[in-house]
Amino acid sequence: MEGATESDGGLTHLDRDGSARMGDVSAKPQTRRRAVAEALVRMSPQTAQIVLAGDAPKGDVIGTARLAGIQAAKRTDELIPLAHSLPLSHVDVRIEIDGEDGIARIEADAITVASTGVEMEAMMACSLAALTLYDMVKGLQRGVSIERVQLLEK
């Protein structure tokens, strides 16, 4: 049984019985799509300085978190039940650490040529990069927090 379509203004992820379903994007043109997301990780300035110096006991915090974010973007469809599988053309994860304020700013950029957007891939990249950063520093400090995962641009 078919559900609503985006063009008729209906809910695209529900069928007529109200059950969740993947939206049908087959009628949409394939175009270049880009999304940028951000996450913030708050830690003490002392922990941030250790990360910046590359002296964390678990190794390269920034490099590991970047790779985890890229991997997460590529596997978004495995983790979000109604997400489409997308051929990603590009994923970049940038991490800036403010050693004075103890803030890690993670920004992810995802690009594809497809019939649907890459917002979830960009936000997934930020989320897992933030979780990985947390995991890498949790032995140095309790109370590290992940804040404000959000879409910046699409």
Side-chain angles (χ1 to χ4, degrees):
M1 189 176 281
E2 291 186 30
T5 64
E6 198 169 310
S7 62
D8 68 17
L11 298 175
T12 61
H13 284 73
L14 295 178
D15 66 16
R16 291 176 194 205
D17 297 326
S19 298
R21 68 171 180 98
M22 180 182 274
D24 182 358
V25 297
S26 62
K28 294 173 77 176
Q30 290 204 352
T31 58
R32 182 181 187 272
R33 295 164 187 269
R34 177 175 181 252
V36 180
E38 158 186 86
L40 298 179
V41 179
R42 187 174 303 275
M43 65 193 82
S44 72
Q46 178 184 12
T47 299
Q49 291 295 335
I50 291 169
V51 170
L52 282 169
D55 292 334
K58 290 189 174 184
D60 180 7
V61 173
I62 295 170
T64 303
R66 283 187 64 252
L67 290 175
I70 292 167
Q71 181 178 357
K74 295 179 352 181
R75 299 183 77 171
T76 298
D77 65 319
E78 295 176 31
L79 300 169
I80 298 178
L82 301 178
H84 292 85
S85 298
L86 293 177
L88 294 173
S89 304
H90 176 74
V91 176
D92 187 28
V93 176
R94 296 171 297 283
I95 301 174
E96 297 174 2
I97 308 286
D98 181 331
E100 290 183 21
D101 289 334
I103 299 285
R105 181 176 179 272
I106 302 166
E107 187 175 281
D109 191 350
I111 300 172
T112 191
V113 176
S115 299
T116 189
V118 288
E119 300 92 336
M120 297 312 298
E121 287 73 11
M123 290 197 302
M124 182 68 79
C126 281
S127 297
L128 198 65
L131 286 168
T132 300
L133 198 152
Y134 179 99
D135 180 58
M136 299 285 288
V137 302
K138 69 184 179 192
L140 295 171
Q141 176 191 345
R142 292 180 186 213
V144 172
S145 64
I146 298 171
E147 302 176 1
R148 204 181 72 211
V149 176
Q150 66 179 357
L151 185 65
L152 298 178
E153 180 183 330
K154 83 172 223 176

